[in-house]
Amino acid sequence: MRPPRSPAFSASVRARGADPNGAYVDVAGDLDLEGRELLDAAVITCLHARPPRVLLDLHRVTFMDCAGTKGLLACRVRAAAEDARLVVVEPSIAVTRVLTPEVAVVLGVDAASGTSGSVPSRRLECVPCGRRTPHVVGEQTVGTDGGVLVQWWRCTECEEGNAIG
């Protein structure tokens, strides 16, 4: 069953202070057939500036289907044709749920943990901060049989908040 449709898909293109050599696309809403066209347009806009990388922040994607997956792969091919690398940043659960292991590898996403690249992080609700912040892998609570019961995630903003991811 498909969740209620988001009021709008949005893809904003902006410079990212932490990565001056890359173009940044912030994506929100449903990444379906309609959203795929808008995503493609945003990536094309980024590629006009000839960046070495196009970063897609997908943490606010609320729904994605196979058309969205095809859109991500098409954007990757388009970026490669322009000598740029497409990098998925912080994919939401809605994104990782749809990706097959093969597609996740091609996009550089660890579908099991919802992370991308080599730095495992997630946006989680932090109780001490009172907002949704980036978290990195923290301690594990281990059972008597040696199995992991809880994987804790540590807030990068306040360093005191832990969450279960």
Side-chain angles (χ1 to χ4, degrees):
M1 181 176 195
R2 187 169 188 264
R5 186 160 180 80
S6 295
F9 171 91
S10 68
S12 61
V13 179
R14 62 184 170 89
R16 182 177 184 173
D19 192 355
N21 296 321
Y24 187 81
V25 180
D26 185 24
V27 180
D30 293 351
L31 190 46
D32 52 13
L33 187 59
E34 188 178 321
R36 174 186 173 176
E37 294 171 5
L38 295 169
L39 175 66
D40 193 45
V43 169
I44 289 170
T45 300
C46 284
L47 291 172
H48 287 298
R50 317 262 316 134
R53 290 186 293 192
V54 175
L55 298 124
L56 295 180
D57 187 338
L58 304 181
H59 84 271
R60 295 189 307 144
V61 172
T62 55
F63 173 82
M64 188 170 94
D65 61 11
C66 62
T69 302
K70 287 181 181 180
L72 290 174
L73 291 170
C75 287
R76 180 182 174 275
V77 169
R78 184 181 304 279
E82 298 291 327
D83 295 323
R85 183 171 163 239
L86 184 98
V87 179
V88 173
V89 180
E90 295 189 52
S92 69
I93 291 172
V95 172
T96 58
R97 187 178 295 146
V98 175
L99 299 178
T100 64
E102 297 81 9
V103 171
V105 167
V106 166
L107 293 173
V109 175
D110 179 354
S113 68
T115 62
S116 61
S118 59
V119 180
S121 69
R122 288 185 176 176
R123 281 192 175 274
L124 299 169
E125 193 68 33
C126 181
V127 175
C129 290
R131 61 188 195 277
R132 195 169 166 84
T133 59
H135 284 64
V136 294
V137 174
E139 297 179 22
Q140 294 178 337
T141 302
V142 181
T144 55
D145 63 351
V148 176
L149 297 175
V150 179
Q151 174 63 62
W152 294 96
W153 292 77
R154 187 174 37 84
C155 179
T156 61
E157 302 272 325
C158 71
E159 295 293 328
E160 61 183 84
N162 284 324
I164 298 173

